Amino acid sequence: MSTEHSTADHGHGAKGHHPHILPLKVYMGVGSALFILTGVTVGTALFLNLGSVGNFVLAMIIATVKASLVALFFMHLLYDNKIYLTIFIGALVFLSIFILFTMADTERRGDIYPAQAIPIEHPTIYGLQPENNPISHASHGEEGAAHGGDESHGTDAGHDAADSDDHGETPAKADGH
Amino acid sequence: MDQSASADHSHGGHHPKLAHHFNDMQQQHESLKMGVWLFLVTEILLFGGLFCFYAIYRAMHPEMFVNAHEYLDVRMGGINTLVLIFSSVTVALAIRSVQQNKSKQAVTYLAITLVCACVFLVIKYFEYQAKFEHGLLPGKYFRNADVVGTDPQIFFSVYFGMTGLHGLHVIFGMVFLTFLLIQTHRGVYSSEYYTPVEMGGLYWHLVDLIWIYLFPLLYLIG
């Protein structure tokens, strides 16, 4: 039975169908191209400076070329029924809408009400006051957080005892080694 | 019981793996394939949500992202990228072998793919271990005063969230590929019925696709 087909049509038999088999060279070629493009990505990121936006755009372009090669050849989208390609592109379209609309909002915060554009300065975790906050005390490590956990018992009115116990234990767990 | 490419079957003369609600193997193959593609869409949107999370916080803390990413090992990430690309080649070749009724060759390629996946996870283990040692942990577990920038724990939340979920997907993929390996070894698949192998291959290629985007976004910032 012939194993290499040059057409994109699948056989139409009631009992079986003839798979479309790509020549080995295609897989080797695409694989090599992917390896080379990976090298290009790393090389341009480490040694080429186009500014932060330029580098980002270039990295995304190279990643998209690689992804297209994988999708069109390894995942057979170039040769299969176009419905699969439509479904895949559809997913990418909706993902683009998702990210673009979200970023359009994120980038414009503070345009109308500047007071609300303040970045997070002291992350309040589970309502801990800044002096009891383990992240503000990152350089002190366990001691600050453990003592902070104990102290917050009396001062925070609506504060759960379970939360501060959790923070008392967690630093010891994280720095256990 | 004849499990290979023969079309003779006790009822109706169709392939033993043809489910009865399909007219023929061709239709079954196309339906299953469409199902897989729809599943891949859900996976793209799942990771898409995390990419959006990345986009928002990188826009809010651009310098911190650049500083924090220096703590990631580009060599390990790069090697992982090459390992996954290579595994994509071998899984595609495995499908090709099944299409040519070469089960033994297909088993070899699937085994190589699984080995590559293990290598990927081992390298990832060493990467994570290095992070744990330096206190570079996600969110509230972050314990490192050396990273310059506001709220560096956010970068590591992004890093662990995305690479961790990706790693879980690698493990799920390995489970399915192992199943395929066993079935291929038993001679269940042939040029007339190779659909499950192709489905596993499509999933694995998607896992590779996601890593192709994760690598530059996390390891090669600015």
Side-chain angles (χ1 to χ4, degrees):
Chain A
M1 166 150 116
S2 156
T3 54
E4 306 245 345
H5 293 250
S6 55
T7 71
D9 289 339
H10 288 264
H12 292 289
K15 291 190 180 138
H17 67 291
H18 307 290
H20 174 244
I21 299 177
L22 289 172
L24 197 61
K25 280 186 310 209
V26 173
Y27 291 106
M28 296 307 174
V30 173
S32 312
L34 288 170
F35 269 66
I36 292 170
L37 284 170
T38 305
V40 169
T41 314
V42 175
T44 55
L46 295 178
F47 303 116
L48 190 64
N49 193 333
L50 303 170
S52 69
V53 173
N55 269 6
F56 174 76
V57 169
L58 178 63
M60 285 298 102
I61 290 175
I62 298 176
T64 305
V65 171
K66 288 163 75 175
S68 308
L69 284 174
V70 171
L72 288 172
F73 291 99
F74 287 167
M75 296 171 101
H76 253 251
L77 282 177
L78 192 61
Y79 303 95
D80 276 342
N81 192 327
K82 290 293 176 276
I83 185 68
Y84 309 127
L85 184 62
T86 310
I87 291 172
F88 180 63
I89 300 285
L92 297 179
V93 166
F94 281 105
L95 181 61
S96 306
I97 293 174
F98 179 24
I99 295 184
L100 285 172
F101 278 42
T102 306
M103 294 319 295
D105 168 67
T106 305
E107 296 286 349
R108 296 274 163 268
R109 286 190 198 165
D111 281 8
I112 299 176
Y113 301 107
Q116 290 170 354
I118 300 171
I120 307 169
E121 290 203 5
H122 292 292
T124 51
I125 295 175
Y126 301 143
L128 287 179
Q129 298 303 315
E131 60 270 16
N132 298 331
N133 190 303
I135 289 177
S136 311
H137 287 45
S139 50
H140 301 316
E142 308 88 317
E143 306 143 1
H147 287 194
D150 290 339
E151 278 162 25
S152 69
H153 268 284
T155 47
D156 283 348
H159 194 65
D160 226 9
D163 283 339
S164 19
D165 287 339
D166 183 32
H167 283 287
E169 286 161 15
T170 312
K173 256 196 302 187
D175 295 318
H177 294 297
Chain B
M1 158 122 159
D2 183 5
Q3 289 198 331
S4 61
S6 163
D8 280 347
H9 194 57
S10 58
H11 51 284
H14 62 78
H15 191 281
K17 287 293 186 181
L18 179 65
H20 292 139
H21 54 290
F22 291 114
N23 292 333
D24 53 47
M25 295 298 281
Q26 167 84 352
Q27 189 196 25
Q28 172 173 275
H29 178 83
E30 288 179 354
S31 303
L32 297 192
K33 209 163 174 181
M34 182 179 289
V36 176
W37 274 107
L38 291 173
F39 170 65
L40 295 187
V41 166
T42 69
E43 293 283 271
I44 289 171
L45 291 172
L46 169 68
F47 279 92
L50 290 177
F51 278 113
C52 194
F53 164 40
Y54 169 95
I56 294 173
Y57 283 103
R58 184 168 171 186
M60 287 180 166
H61 305 269
E63 301 88 17
M64 180 275 285
F65 263 65
V66 173
N67 292 324
H69 105 278
E70 311 264 327
Y71 289 81
L72 299 183
D73 192 337
V74 177
R75 285 166 314 163
M76 285 193 180
I79 292 173
N80 264 354
T81 309
L82 296 176
V83 165
L84 268 190
I85 290 175
F86 184 70
S87 73
S88 267
V89 175
T90 54
V91 80
L93 290 175
I95 300 169
R96 186 172 178 275
S97 302
V98 177
Q99 288 174 329
Q100 295 172 316
N101 285 316
K102 296 178 184 168
S103 288
K104 267 187 77 178
Q105 196 180 65
V107 168
T108 309
Y109 281 127
L110 283 173
I112 298 174
T113 309
L114 281 169
V115 167
C116 289
C118 288
V119 169
F120 179 88
L121 290 177
V122 164
I123 294 177
K124 177 131 255 93
Y125 166 77
F126 284 117
E127 282 187 273
Y128 278 18
Q129 191 185 48
K131 303 284 168 308
F132 294 162
E133 280 171 10
H134 292 104
L136 299 166
L137 294 164
K140 70 176 185 179
Y141 301 107
F142 187 78
R143 297 283 175 274
N144 187 307
D146 298 329
V147 185
V148 178
T150 54
D151 298 310
Q153 73 274 12
I154 291 176
F155 176 80
F156 291 97
S157 292
V158 174
Y159 172 76
F160 280 103
M162 298 189 80
T163 60
L165 186 65
H166 180 264
L168 269 180
H169 278 73
V170 170
I171 294 173
F172 298 149
M174 285 174 71
V175 169
F176 190 57
L177 284 174
T178 306
F179 164 77
L180 290 175
L181 185 110
I182 296 171
Q183 293 287 78
T184 311
H185 181 70
R186 287 187 187 154
V188 173
Y189 306 126
S190 65
S191 59
E192 288 194 11
Y193 179 63
Y194 59 94
T195 314
V197 190
E198 185 159 20
M199 289 163 72
L202 283 173
Y203 176 83
W204 194 254
H205 288 131
L206 186 83
V207 165
D208 185 26
L209 264 185
I210 291 165
W211 183 261
I212 284 174
Y213 277 101
L214 271 187
F215 175 60
L217 288 176
L218 292 174
Y219 291 79
L220 304 175
I221 301 179

